[in-house]
Amino acid sequence: MAMTAKTDRRLREERLGFRVDEPTKALIERAAQLERRKLTDFCMTALTDAARRTIAEHETLVLSDRDRAVFFDVLVNPPAPSERLQRARAEHKRRVVR
């Protein structure tokens, strides 16, 4: 489905503005040229990729082999409910489940 120029402008109405030193700008411009892309497109792709990686790193839990083994062992062989948990379940059932 082709996107009209007007629709594309509506999607890109937000702006980010920042200043860089000359060597940094030259570096980014050179990278964009090597990929035969416009500077804005190159920067948008690089920033979006970096943002997605950062979010994934913060939202992903990485377990050690030991932690993974303990986690799955508890899933497969759950411990018996404690007295406190049993009381809480009974109270929940009394208040909510009717």
Side-chain angles (χ1 to χ4, degrees):
M1 180 162 102
M3 191 179 299
T4 66
K6 186 176 181 181
T7 304
D8 189 40
R9 265 184 294 213
R10 255 185 284 142
L11 293 175
R12 290 186 172 199
E13 65 185 18
E14 299 297 323
R15 295 182 60 85
L16 289 176
F18 51 90
R19 296 192 178 278
V20 296
D21 58 33
E22 191 175 323
T24 301
K25 184 179 180 195
L27 177 73
I28 296 168
E29 286 175 331
R30 177 70 177 132
Q33 287 173 347
L34 289 171
E35 290 198 359
R36 299 179 194 274
R37 295 165 66 189
K38 292 183 179 180
L39 183 61
T40 299
D41 179 51
F42 180 83
C43 290
M44 286 294 299
T45 302
L47 286 170
T48 302
D49 290 347
R52 285 190 177 115
R53 273 192 316 274
T54 299
I55 291 167
E57 288 171 7
H58 287 269
E59 291 182 344
T60 304
L61 179 63
V62 179
L63 299 176
S64 69
D65 289 340
R66 180 183 153 275
D67 292 338
R68 190 177 307 107
V70 169
F71 176 79
F72 284 112
D73 183 54
V74 169
L75 284 178
V76 173
N77 304 306
S82 68
E83 187 177 318
R84 184 176 177 189
L85 180 59
Q86 290 174 355
R87 284 193 318 266
R89 183 173 183 273
E91 180 64 17
H92 172 75
K93 193 173 184 179
R94 185 184 70 77
R95 289 183 181 194
V96 178
V97 181
R98 297 224 177 228

